Amino acid sequence: MKEFLWHIRVYYEDTDCGGVVYHTQYLNFMERARTEMLRSVGFEQDELLEKENVIFAVRSLSVDYLKPSRFNDLLRISNSIRHLGHASMTFDQSVIRHSDDSLLCKAEVRIACLHSDTLLPCPIPENIRREFNHAD
Amino acid sequence: MKEFLWHIRVYYEDTDCGGVVYHTQYLNFMERARTEMLRSVGFEQDELLEKENVIFAVRSLSVDYLKPSRFNDLLRISNSIRHLGHASMTFDQSVIRHSDDSLLCKAEVRIACLHSDTLLPCPIPENIRREFNHAD
Amino acid sequence: MKEFLWHIRVYYEDTDCGGVVYHTQYLNFMERARTEMLRSVGFEQDELLEKENVIFAVRSLSVDYLKPSRFNDLLRISNSIRHLGHASMTFDQSVIRHSDDSLLCKAEVRIACLHSDTLLPCPIPENIRREFNHAD
Amino acid sequence: MKEFLWHIRVYYEDTDCGGVVYHTQYLNFMERARTEMLRSVGFEQDELLEKENVIFAVRSLSVDYLKPSRFNDLLRISNSIRHLGHASMTFDQSVIRHSDDSLLCKAEVRIACLHSDTLLPCPIPENIRREFNHAD
């Protein structure tokens, strides 16, 4: 998979009194999109936890805010994997206004794979690695 | 304890593009206030879970929205226990703008006491009951 | 329209450390569903504001929480209009777990129609009234 | 002002089903702390908007997540200004668990000063600049 797209609608709850989407809300949208990207290739995070004792946690992120969006905008989240490590992966994610293809914000998000009991880093399950390596 | 007061400041994250506090956010403020009311008489919910296997869950609520509030307002949450049952309690809660004592919204919130393993109703711990009965 | 259905997926952001969806989050889901119900019959709230100077605000709500839901659950929000008044309308809304049709929570939500400048009650626009009266 | 400290309590709404504070919530805490830092030297953002037509917007941020925190933790947000530009300022912010002084996450947040009508960059008001230059 080279790029995974996910659409999200802006509701009242996502906006602030500046009239635009609140800045941290884009990061929630990106987390939804990563969940759906995993689902799109057959991985459900509740099953990963139950069967493989594995959870994913955000280790670091950086984001640039370029343009605002507003109530009722339809957003398109673009997601790709920049780097697939042994126990972590790095996503490139951007948020685009669907109506005019404006780039609103872009982020780099590093996710660690952790053992659910110890919360220590552990290898990304082989089947996930295999799926995402096909991306290249 | 007849009435417990807790102050909360409105931040950007609490508002929506209508320029006012988003309607469900008042219910989050009320949950914070209930947590602080319990703390004020010596009960920490993480300890209640660990030592007594007890959690509290919202069973029902009704709320009337009377006036809006805005970014930077200081709010005062007024909390009292209307009814202390065997396995549930009902709070009367209201949100007041501190600067002019305007009543912004008022709610009745019924909380159930649940056993943390079974999630079935269980008696409110005796020490909590004793503390809140002093209220009468 | 007798009943409008809208599906919502539960993400991490919607849950709390009790392992279930946080109680106020259901009310956000219901607001999203009301927005989509209006959209489904051709009304965009940003256009209503711009062209008719009309906004909708929650005046009161009551909700019963019956069963919990969890991360990754697909929820179905059922929405119908119980009462269509001159300047307000009352929705019956319920949240159902899609996989097993469990009823998770149900609410009655009263919405006021307000003039955007004065924030005073004003008549629901005639075209909306006409659309929803077809429901009967 | 070299460093501004602000304390925030973790409530249920801040946690997720992993049992810890949801990763974007720390960024909301940091926004609250920046608001309080401005207030502590006499600047209210609603007055800045009204009197000087100036708003602050997050332009970029990067954050490292080092350790988790949990329900009921008391957090201390440390805030300092790393760089004070003509139309933007960069904050160093970190979140520390108050009970054991563990560093939980640290961030660099760049804020732009915008004219509220045009949303174009504008100079930081001179009185704010003067106040924060005293920091050096």
Side-chain angles (χ1 to χ4, degrees), chain A residues 13-74:
Chain A
E13 65 187 283
D14 304 315
T15 61
D16 69 23
C17 61
V20 299
V21 171
Y22 186 66
H23 73 289
T24 70
Q25 200 60 22
Y26 293 102
L27 300 170
N28 292 3
F29 295 166
M30 289 179 192
E31 202 265 349
R32 297 183 200 173
R34 292 192 303 273
T35 296
E36 296 297 344
M37 187 180 187
L38 276 168
R39 194 191 327 278
S40 75
V41 289
F43 300 106
E44 300 285 345
Q45 285 178 82
D46 45 357
E47 294 176 5
L48 285 172
L49 171 57
E50 217 177 290
K51 294 180 187 164
E52 315 224 23
N53 297 310
V54 147
I55 59 171
F56 293 109
V58 177
R59 269 305 154 93
S60 63
L61 62 84
S62 63
V63 52
D64 286 299
Y65 296 98
L66 306 172
K67 285 185 182 176
S69 62
R70 293 174 191 283
F71 172 73
N72 244 351
D73 280 349
L74 184 62

Side-chain angles (χ1 to χ4, degrees), chain C residues 1-2 37-43 81 84 89 124-136:
Chain C
M1 189 193 338
K2 282 256 183 297
M37 188 181 188
L38 277 168
R39 193 189 328 276
S40 75
V41 290
F43 300 106
I81 293 180
L84 185 62
M89 43 188 173
I124 295 172
E126 196 47 48
N127 46 2
I128 293 186
R129 169 182 306 283
R130 209 177 308 121
E131 191 63 51
F132 285 132
N133 262 333
H134 274 287
D136 301 329

Side-chain angles (χ1 to χ4, degrees), chain D residues 113 122 124:
Chain D
C113 186
C122 71
I124 295 172

Side-chain angles (χ1 to χ4, degrees), chain B residues 7-8 73-76 96-102 104:
Chain B
H7 291 79
I8 287 173
D73 280 349
L74 184 62
L75 306 180
R76 190 171 73 235
I96 298 123
R97 191 190 295 116
H98 198 62
S99 62
D100 65 358
D101 288 330
S102 298
L104 306 180

Side-chain angles (χ1 to χ4, degrees), chain D residues 12-60:
Chain D
Y12 269 117
E13 65 187 283
D14 303 315
T15 61
D16 69 22
C17 62
V20 299
V21 171
Y22 186 65
H23 73 289
T24 69
Q25 201 58 24
Y26 293 102
L27 300 170
N28 293 2
F29 295 165
M30 290 179 192
E31 201 266 348
R32 298 183 200 173
R34 292 193 303 273
T35 295
E36 296 297 344
M37 187 180 186
L38 277 168
R39 193 191 327 278
S40 75
V41 290
F43 300 106
E44 300 286 345
Q45 286 178 81
D46 45 357
E47 294 176 5
L48 285 171
L49 171 58
E50 217 176 290
K51 294 179 189 164
E52 316 223 24
N53 297 312
V54 147
I55 60 171
F56 293 109
V58 176
R59 268 305 153 95
S60 64

